Amino acid sequence: MTNPRNTKAKQAVLNEIANSSFALSQPELFERVKGTCDRVTVYRVLDRLVTENKIHKIVNIDGTINYALCASCDDSHSHAHDHLHFSCVTCKKIECLEEHLIQVKLPETYQIKELFLTISGICPSCQPL
Amino acid sequence: MTNPRNTKAKQAVLNEIANSSFALSQPELFERVKGTCDRVTVYRVLDRLVTENKIHKIVNIDGTINYALCASCDDSHSHAHDHLHFSCVTCKKIECLEEHLIQVKLPETYQIKELFLTISGICPSCQPL
DNA sequence: TTGCAAAACGCAACAATGTTGCATTAAAAA
DNA sequence: TTTTTAATGCAACATTGTTGCGTTTTGCAA
Ligand SMILES: [Mn+2]
Ligand SMILES: [Mn+2]
Ligand SMILES: [Zn+2]
Ligand SMILES: [Zn+2]
């Protein structure tokens, strides 16, 4: 990969991710950009955006992969994903809680690379009165 | 569902999970019990074992679902999964670290149900000397 | 031990999600 | 504008998971 190009498909997908308050899956994204590009292109665009540190993957508690903007890692020098995710059992939406960091201690025999913490529960919007 | 039955397929699958030091996926389990039962049966057995609190699901960082014994929740009265999982980037194995619990604080507007924490990195067995 | 109800199974068919190869198109540099 | 090649479309395939239905097997009771 030399110079990444700014294509219509890439713009459309990134735009949907940027304007969403929660993380979106490939099927959801394809539905939203339908007509703009092919199904396969969405997969390839997502891979590229992840490589370029524009977005990051979030695996939900059921195994579905969702994508969200990299908010705190626009500056390409520090790219850490030690924040927390919240997955609502009611509306099924998953969101980044960037302000909540995680700290874990393990024995020296483990070499830690990345943390994935997702909390399932009921989000503020879905709270019963 | 009234009385669960103890079938050959169920025994075989549970046996593989019990004797493994790391969590296994449906494809891995089917490979190991091949000849004993059908592919679909493995799915159904796994669902039943989860319902019966014999095993629990672990979603790996790539979205694949793995299954491990419920060690600390044999006693059916308390069934909490607030422990931590370690996923090795080298050998791809995922294991439960039952002794490491997680504590998180969130605003009152969030109602927490369950925690899913997976750490990716290099496990003790895969450490370069 | 035998008979019975239904839990569990096998198999085929289908659905969803993700991947690959290759000819064609289009972005951006020259 | 021309040229290079990154990116796309499309078809074909692979993997993972689901559903329906007729058949088998388990556990219980007679
Ligand atoms: Mn995030
Ligand atoms: Mn576990
Ligand atoms: Zn919600
Ligand atoms: Zn390892």
Side-chain angles (χ1 to χ4, degrees):
Chain A
M1 146 203 7
T2 9
N3 272 352
R5 293 178 182 179
N6 200 18
T7 67
K8 241 187 286 184
K10 190 176 174 183
Q11 287 169 22
V13 170
L14 187 54
N15 193 49
E16 291 298 337
I17 296 175
N19 290 333
S20 175
S21 63
F22 53 94
L24 298 168
S25 65
Q26 187 279 341
E28 287 169 336
L29 283 165
F30 176 57
E31 189 60 35
R32 294 182 181 212
V33 302
K34 212 167 233 170
T36 306
C37 68
D38 190 72
R39 198 173 68 88
V40 179
T41 299
V42 176
Y43 283 108
R44 298 199 262 226
V45 163
L46 288 171
D47 284 345
R48 250 179 295 145
L49 288 172
V50 168
T51 301
E52 296 169 16
N53 286 342
K54 296 268 176 46
I55 62 175
H56 67 284
K57 290 187 184 185
I58 310 172
V59 177
N60 210 334
I61 58 175
D62 60 355
T64 58
I65 296 178
N66 297 274
Y67 297 87
L69 267 197
C70 282
S72 51
C73 30
D74 296 319
D75 42 359
S76 53
H77 57 283
S78 84
H79 189 83
H81 286 290
D82 50 357
H83 62 274
L84 181 159
H85 295 142
F86 191 89
S87 173
C88 179
V89 295
T90 302
C91 65
K92 309 294 179 193
K93 293 175 182 173
I94 185 166
E95 58 176 322
C96 300
L97 301 182
E98 308 264 0
E99 64 275 19
H100 292 82
L101 301 187
I102 317 163
Q103 282 186 336
V104 181
K105 280 175 196 165
L106 280 190
E108 300 275 335
T109 46
Y110 290 90
Q111 185 183 327
I112 297 180
K113 251 197 149 176
E114 213 169 342
L115 301 175
F116 300 85
L117 173 54
T118 300
I119 299 180
S120 87
I122 304 178
C123 78
S125 307
C126 294
Q127 272 322 322
L129 157 79
Chain B
M1 147 203 4
T2 10
N3 270 351
R5 294 179 181 178
N6 200 19
T7 66
K8 241 188 284 184
K10 191 176 174 184
Q11 287 170 22
V13 170
L14 187 55
N15 193 49
E16 291 298 336
I17 295 175
N19 291 333
S20 176
S21 62
F22 53 94
L24 298 169
S25 64
Q26 187 279 342
E28 287 169 334
L29 283 165
F30 177 56
E31 188 60 36
R32 294 182 181 211
V33 301
K34 211 165 236 172
T36 306
C37 68
D38 188 71
R39 196 174 69 87
V40 179
T41 299
V42 176
Y43 283 106
R44 299 201 260 226
V45 163
L46 288 171
D47 284 345
R48 249 178 296 146
L49 288 172
V50 168
T51 301
E52 296 169 16
N53 286 342
K54 296 270 177 46
I55 62 177
H56 66 285
K57 289 188 186 190
I58 310 171
V59 177
N60 210 334
I61 58 175
D62 60 356
T64 59
I65 296 178
N66 296 275
Y67 297 87
L69 266 197
C70 282
S72 50
C73 30
D74 296 319
D75 41 2
S76 52
H77 58 283
S78 83
H79 190 82
H81 286 291
D82 51 354
H83 62 272
L84 181 159
H85 295 142
F86 192 89
S87 172
C88 180
V89 295
T90 302
C91 65
K92 310 296 178 192
K93 293 174 182 172
I94 186 165
E95 57 176 323
C96 301
L97 301 181
E98 309 263 359
E99 66 273 19
H100 293 83
L101 301 188
I102 317 163
Q103 281 186 337
V104 181
K105 281 176 196 166
L106 279 190
E108 301 276 334
T109 46
Y110 289 91
Q111 185 182 327
I112 296 180
K113 253 196 148 177
E114 213 170 341
L115 300 175
F116 299 85
L117 174 53
T118 301
I119 298 179
S120 87
I122 304 178
C123 77
S125 307
C126 294
Q127 272 323 321
L129 155 81

